[in-house]
Amino acid sequence: MAHFTCEVVYRGIFQKNLASRICRGIVLSARKAGRWGIAFGRYGDSPQRNGIPAKDFAIVADSQEELEQNMARYEPQEVDVTICVDDTLSKGVESWAWYGLQPINRLTLPNGTLLMTSLQPAEDLLKDIHKKDAPYALTLLRAKASFSGLWVYREDHTEARILGALSRIKPDFLSLDAVCQAIEEAEWGSDLKVASARKAHERLETRLVNVTEGNPETPFSFEKPKWWEMREGVSIPAIPVGKPMEGGKGYVPERNPYFKKFTSRTMRPVIDFDKCVKCTLCWLQCPDSCFDVTPDDLYDANMDACCGCGVCEAVCPAKECITMVSEAAFDDNASQWEMWRKDKDTYRTWLTATVSDTAHVVRSHGFRFRGQYEQELRQDLDTGGIEITTGIPGENAAAKTA
Amino acid sequence: MAVETKTIAAAPGDTEMLISGSEACAEALALADIDVVTAYPIRPYDTVMQAIAKKIANGKLVAEYIVAEGEHSQFEIVKHASTVGARVFCGSSGVGWMYAMECLTVTPPLRVPMVAMVGNRALDDPGAFGVEHNDALVVRDLGWMLIWVDTAQEMLDTALLAYRIAEDRRVFLPIAISADGAFLTHSQALVQVPTKAKVDRFLPKYDRGDLQLHPDNPITVAPQANEDWVIEIRRQNNEAMTRAYTVIEEAYADFRKVFGRGPDNPWFEEYMTADAEVILMGMGTISLPLKVGIRNMRAQGKKVGLIRPRWFRPFPTEKMVAALSRASAIGVIDRDYSFGSPFGSGVVANEVRAALYNADKRPPLLSFIGGLGGREVTLEDVYKTADMCFAAATAGKSDLKTHWLGVRE
């Protein structure tokens, strides 16, 4: 009697089909050894929303009865492997399905594995990943966050590489041969993808993480009210009017203390306050009211509230005043304006370094990096990927019945 | 011991697929070769309409696929298509199903054997995606046959059975197949998909006979009527629903013969009930925590069993009473509510109470409401209900109130 449970933490819409492919791949690979399985999404999530963190699960077991035994909890409470397909989720996850910030490794079993696609060094990721009260393995597959699986997206083999990696992590459940066979047979499968899976199997980087390592911050949480404490009539109180920032000047809106939304963010605005013309457009157009008005009439993007949509950068008329930068470049949500006010020279040095780092500022609308194929696939080739061919929805599609 | 094994041996020619309950429904629809399908999106039912659209786009099914401008039209269109002899499919969820309400009421008296899928969803407000059974239960008095399924496999099999039963000339009533949103509609499980040849052996062509709207068969459907006519029409409907008992038994017997699987008892699943002192009841996917909880309690020597009703309309009164009379106490968990009802109980608990009223042996019945809006029914909830039932069995009487499970108190 044995079972294997896995979660895939992904970003809404862009990676929805990717996560589904990975979970299906797990079940179909395990089926090769006669095991039973189920693949499902966290239903309370809203994976159609741009960038919202969401989860898929796969459970496989030796028998149907054992599978049921492990499905009795609607959402698994612990998993052997947490798969994270966007390393900016290492800062934690706040989805539509729950309240509060959940560390990325929250469900990972003691001595389990957190498998991430990332180009960051493990040490950098561990500045973001919360501390855990049990040791676990941080296993890295060298790759950028994939858009693979979006309907019109070119295949980048991420699902195949993840499955190949799993066959290394849990060979007793997913043998490399079984994984390769399942990929071969998948609607989206191909011989090239099988080769990618085999390479990924060989090229994993694993680092054990002990209980002293990781981000020591306590994730924010929220206690839900009892039925008799809730207002009747399906009504909730409005967010109160905000207040001046200091000395009767500026304006800070009240914000929902229980739902912060910042884990939807993959980029954040970096603001050059010396170039700001105080036109108010960023403050007006921000869909999340994330800008605080400072006493000197500047606009400071509050990083607890910012979803990273990039509208502020798009509407800003001042040249190079707002620059969207990958979330991977930051370790906290501290105020940029406070930093600027405190020491302008230090701020300028930091600003210049941050916005001129091309690894972090080449980006696309609303979600991450523009030009990632030109730049990154070459890198992937060197580190484990293989040449990409076109194929929508998959090179084998014609031969499939699904 | 009435233990139903869920391990399905693949029959020759069957294909095993990893698909959701909704996709399993679409597989059945393609095998049944439906003619007209209407669609209007609402979660979780929309996964079925997407799966059917994909089948048509991929050339696996030839059917008219009409995207309606709302659920009212959606159900009206298939009703009309069915009267001219088309095999039809439709579906919805939650308040979408409610928006179609007028069409839902006129479908049974016109004897339209429509098959619909209800992806069970909590009724607004609040807007929510999770499962409750009140949406489908709203039509329980109108002549719709209602069945709840539990697994993707059962969804596929039941959809095939539903056409066979609904389109039987002795019945000609619509069937709504209820599938719990999320647990069933959105989870992918391994399903055995039969061959078209087998389905053709099981499912005859839809023949509307003298009720078919056609220039060669000039008839008027649904003329206005006064008090001279209405009660007779209701009496006809009642007769059709009564005849459905036999037709359902026959259909399942044939299904077992052709497909080599399927339950002996179409009406409800019995799990470890043969020697059970306490029988727990619940419809749909709530069976999962119940079965696991029962297995765990059995390991401690507690004799607990499960009855999972499939058919709610027609309600299997005699068979249900016979099965329940063996127990010392019954616990019904409703995934629905009926505010102001007798004892404040849910719909299923009060139906079971009514069925037992004239029984020689009436075990104490405890009523529970749980899992509303998709809230998880936990193993702890299951243990708690069973323990309360054991206490009622010892006391020999019920406590005549309704216990809510999993509410933040």
Side-chain angles (χ1 to χ4, degrees), chain B residues 27 92 106 134 154 164 193 218 266 273 302 335 352 385 403:
Chain B
E27 288 299 327
S92 195
V106 297
N134 281 80
E154 193 172 47
R164 164 79 184 253
V193 182
T273 51
K302 292 182 181 174
R335 203 160 212 158
V352 173
T385 55
H403 307 274

Side-chain angles (χ1 to χ4, degrees), chain A residues 50-206:
Chain A
N50 180 339
I52 282 263
K55 284 189 182 187
D56 271 4
F57 294 95
I59 309 175
V60 297
D62 286 351
S63 69
Q64 286 216 356
E65 190 167 301
E66 193 184 4
L67 180 64
E68 284 182 359
Q69 209 76 20
N70 289 287
M71 287 160 55
R73 290 304 307 253
Y74 175 25
E75 180 186 347
Q77 301 301 294
E78 48 188 28
V79 299
D80 298 285
V81 178
T82 297
I83 297 167
C84 175
V85 285
D86 182 335
D87 63 0
T88 56
L89 289 166
S90 61
K91 300 183 180 207
V93 178
E94 185 194 28
S95 87
W96 275 35
W98 57 76
Y99 298 87
L101 184 72
Q102 296 192 350
I104 188 69
N105 56 11
R106 179 171 176 264
L107 301 190
T108 317
L109 274 165
N111 302 310
T113 301
L114 169 57
L115 170 63
M116 291 182 104
T117 55
S118 181
L119 294 178
Q120 296 187 61
E123 275 59 36
D124 283 4
L125 290 167
L126 283 169
K127 287 181 194 161
D128 294 332
I129 300 170
H130 290 81
K131 276 170 76 167
K132 193 172 170 66
D133 57 7
Y136 64 96
L138 174 61
T139 299
L140 298 178
L141 192 59
R142 290 304 175 189
K144 281 278 167 61
S146 168
F147 285 174
S148 164
L150 201 61
W151 293 341
V152 291
Y153 188 73
R154 284 184 294 178
E155 304 281 352
D156 69 0
H157 297 208
T158 299
E159 76 287 84
R161 297 182 70 202
I162 294 273
L163 290 169
L166 284 173
S167 71
R168 178 79 170 275
I169 295 165
K170 279 281 171 185
D172 40 342
F173 274 89
L174 303 168
S175 73
L176 182 58
D177 286 346
V179 161
C180 290
Q181 201 185 336
I183 293 171
E184 188 82 48
E185 292 167 7
E187 188 184 8
W188 42 265
S190 71
D191 293 341
L192 280 174
K193 285 196 170 178
V194 170
S196 278
R198 290 190 184 278
K199 285 185 183 174
H201 180 91
E202 297 302 326
R203 294 178 179 175
L204 285 183
E205 293 171 32
T206 295

Side-chain angles (χ1 to χ4, degrees), chain B residues 105-147:
Chain B
T105 61
V106 297
T107 301
L110 303 185
R111 310 296 291 281
V112 169
M114 174 195 305
V115 172
M117 184 270 204
V118 182
N120 295 129
R121 167 175 173 164
L123 296 172
D124 294 357
D125 277 321
F129 297 134
V131 54
E132 284 175 6
H133 293 160
N134 281 80
D135 51 2
L137 284 171
V138 157
V139 300
R140 69 186 165 135
D141 301 329
L142 303 180
W144 278 81
M145 292 189 272
L146 293 177
I147 182 167

Side-chain angles (χ1 to χ4, degrees), chain B residues 249-269:
Chain B
E249 293 274 5
E250 286 175 8
Y252 276 79
D254 266 5
F255 188 93
R256 290 191 299 272
K257 262 185 241 156
V258 174
F259 297 99
R261 63 164 182 263
D264 291 334
N265 174 357
W267 307 101
F268 46 87
E269 177 185 359

Side-chain angles (χ1 to χ4, degrees), chain B residues 258-409:
Chain B
V258 174
F259 297 99
R261 63 164 182 263
D264 291 334
N265 174 357
W267 307 101
F268 46 87
E269 177 185 359
E270 289 193 63
Y271 182 75
M272 296 191 175
T273 51
D275 65 341
E277 290 163 21
V278 164
I279 291 180
L280 301 177
M281 285 182 75
M283 298 201 298
T285 57
I286 203 172
S287 71
L288 183 58
L290 286 171
K291 281 181 181 172
V292 172
I294 286 167
R295 283 203 286 268
N296 295 348
M297 286 187 282
R298 285 262 167 187
Q300 300 165 2
K302 292 182 181 174
K303 291 183 175 172
V304 194
L306 165 72
I307 287 184
R308 175 178 65 86
R310 290 190 188 93
W311 290 93
F312 189 78
R313 287 290 183 271
F315 192 87
T317 313
E318 288 82 17
K319 286 197 166 60
M320 187 68 85
V321 167
L324 291 174
S325 293
R326 298 197 301 262
S328 304
I330 305 161
V332 181
I333 306 178
D334 270 278
R335 203 160 212 158
D336 61 80
Y337 49 84
S338 179
F339 302 127
S341 69
F343 315 109
S345 294
V347 174
V348 181
N350 277 337
E351 290 280 310
V352 173
R353 281 195 181 107
L356 286 168
Y357 185 76
N358 287 321
D360 296 333
K361 182 166 177 277
R362 286 194 302 272
L365 185 150
L366 299 193
S367 163
F368 302 88
I369 287 178
L372 297 189
R375 178 68 51 87
E376 179 174 358
V377 176
T378 65
L379 291 177
E380 292 69 31
D381 291 333
V382 175
Y383 303 145
K384 182 178 146 190
T385 55
D387 285 345
M388 289 171 69
C389 289
F390 277 111
T394 307
K397 60 177 183 182
S398 317
D399 59 1
L400 297 184
K401 54 184 181 183
T402 296
H403 307 274
W404 286 62
L405 302 171
V407 182
R408 288 193 301 276
E409 298 279 3

Side-chain angles (χ1 to χ4, degrees), chain B residues 61-133:
Chain B
L61 169 66
V62 178
E64 286 293 330
Y65 186 96
I66 302 167
V67 181
E69 83 277 23
E71 288 86 355
H72 188 276
S73 304
Q74 195 192 350
F75 280 82
E76 195 67 20
I77 291 165
V78 283
K79 185 192 81 181
H80 287 264
S82 182
T83 58
V84 299
R87 177 170 285 166
V88 299
F89 175 79
C90 201
S92 195
S93 290
V95 287
W97 178 250
M98 294 294 171
Y99 191 58
M101 197 64 208
E102 189 210 1
C103 316
L104 298 179
T105 61
V106 297
T107 301
L110 303 185
R111 310 296 291 281
V112 169
M114 174 195 305
V115 172
M117 184 270 204
V118 182
N120 295 129
R121 167 175 173 164
L123 296 172
D124 294 357
D125 277 321
F129 297 134
V131 54
E132 284 175 6
H133 293 160

